[in-house]
Amino acid sequence: MTIKPLIAANWKMHGNMSWRNKPAEFNALLPTAERRHLDVLICPPAVFLVPLADKRGGTDIWLGAQTCHDQVSGAHTGEMSADMLSDAGAEYVILGHSERRAAGETDADVRARVEAAVKAELIPMICVGESLEQREAGQAEEVVEKQLAGSLPDDLTDYVIAYEPVWAIGTGKTATPGDIKSMHAFIRSRVWPTTRILYGGSVKPANAQEILATENVNGALIGGAGLEMESLAEIAKAAPKGS
Ligand code: PGA
């Protein structure tokens, strides 16, 4: 089964208006003709979706948001609906990132947002992953299984899973190749044969090749190393031609 790898940058709360030129910068480093075997996605702070969408031109770089509200519209000060994000240029939306789960987002919240995203024709990227305490207690699979069961609507077809062990995010620590392989195999048994399962957590040029070559790893969700186009392009170059 060949799945086109997805290399996704999560900019979190970083950037400014000048970052609208980053898709062109990335394209100069790795032109579309050299990356037909993979998809590249940038998820900026939502306020920069419009300028990035205006400037991405023919770069074939997808855009995504970092969350969405579960309602279409209404009295929800400070929130943005999936339709608005789609209107602003997003094709994907990250949902249930561990930084949001840590701030109180539950599986049920994530599921409601996933449903809203699908209605707005955004492809949801649902993040799952265990804490260090949970891994050390031998509960990693149990935790991920519960998150998958609670966050995915039953009839979901087109979506991406990002497995991000919480202890590996922004820490410089990555899971061992063996741990990644076994967790991704476990997730594969719970999703479609064609669902992309990304790995996330301190992915960088130095470890990308090994991670991206792991069975059932169909791309990466990248935080820190996705802010600079040089490192993002290096990671993208490490993606195998079909995984
Ligand atoms: P990191 O972040 O690559 O900086 O560890 C990954 C993420 O949070 O998606």
Side-chain angles (χ1 to χ4, degrees):
M1 179 80 54
T2 299
I3 301 179
K4 205 176 181 187
L6 176 63
I7 301 298
N10 172 13
W11 283 358
K12 307 189 180 182
M13 199 170 72
H14 296 285
N16 56 51
M17 273 296 273
S18 76
W19 288 34
R20 67 191 184 282
N21 297 316
K22 293 215 179 218
E25 206 186 299
F26 181 91
N27 203 45
L29 294 163
L30 186 60
T32 48
E34 290 169 35
R35 54 178 158 90
R36 300 221 186 281
H37 60 290
L38 56 96
D39 284 327
V40 178
L41 166 68
I42 293 179
C43 301
V47 70
F48 301 130
L49 280 169
V50 171
L52 261 98
D54 283 350
K55 282 277 197 171
R56 69 176 148 170
T59 61
D60 274 341
I61 291 177
W62 302 98
L63 292 176
Q66 299 174 12
T67 186
C68 67
H69 197 268
D70 63 5
Q71 300 293 306
V72 173
S73 63
H76 303 288
T77 302
E79 299 287 349
M80 270 168 282
S81 72
D83 285 298
M84 292 170 188
L85 296 163
S86 165
D87 217 11
E91 286 100 9
Y92 287 78
V93 58
I94 299 171
L95 291 169
H97 189 278
S98 68
E99 286 154 16
R100 297 191 56 84
R101 289 183 185 267
E105 208 165 284
T106 64
D107 287 335
D109 295 333
V110 177
R111 185 186 175 111
R113 292 171 203 264
V114 171
E115 281 168 353
V118 170
K119 277 192 199 125
E121 296 183 4
L122 293 176
I123 299 174
M125 182 191 296
I126 302 137
C127 301
V128 295
E130 80 287 354
S131 67
L132 185 57
E133 206 180 23
Q134 290 163 332
R135 173 156 289 272
E136 284 173 348
Q139 297 165 345
E141 285 190 359
E142 195 185 311
V143 168
V144 167
E145 168 146 61
K146 190 168 162 284
Q147 289 172 331
L148 289 172
S151 311
L152 271 60
D154 296 338
D155 52 356
L156 197 60
T157 51
D158 192 9
Y159 61 99
V160 178
I161 298 293
Y163 168 58
E164 300 200 300
V166 177
W167 48 272
I169 296 175
T171 58
K173 293 180 192 155
T174 41
T176 65
D179 287 342
I180 297 176
K181 189 174 169 192
S182 72
M183 183 59 88
H184 278 244
F186 176 73
I187 295 172
R188 174 65 64 210
S189 72
R190 299 291 187 276
V191 300
W192 302 106
T194 51
T195 302
R196 280 162 158 168
I197 309 171
L198 311 190
Y199 173 79
S202 298
V203 176
K204 45 186 183 280
N207 60 22
Q209 197 159 5
E210 183 174 34
I211 291 171
L212 293 170
T214 305
E215 203 179 340
N216 286 311
V217 173
N218 314 113
L221 180 56
I222 304 142
L227 303 177
E228 298 294 339
M229 294 303 99
E230 287 81 5
S231 49
L232 188 63
E234 285 309 309
I235 294 168
K237 284 179 195 166
K241 307 211 167 184
S243 60

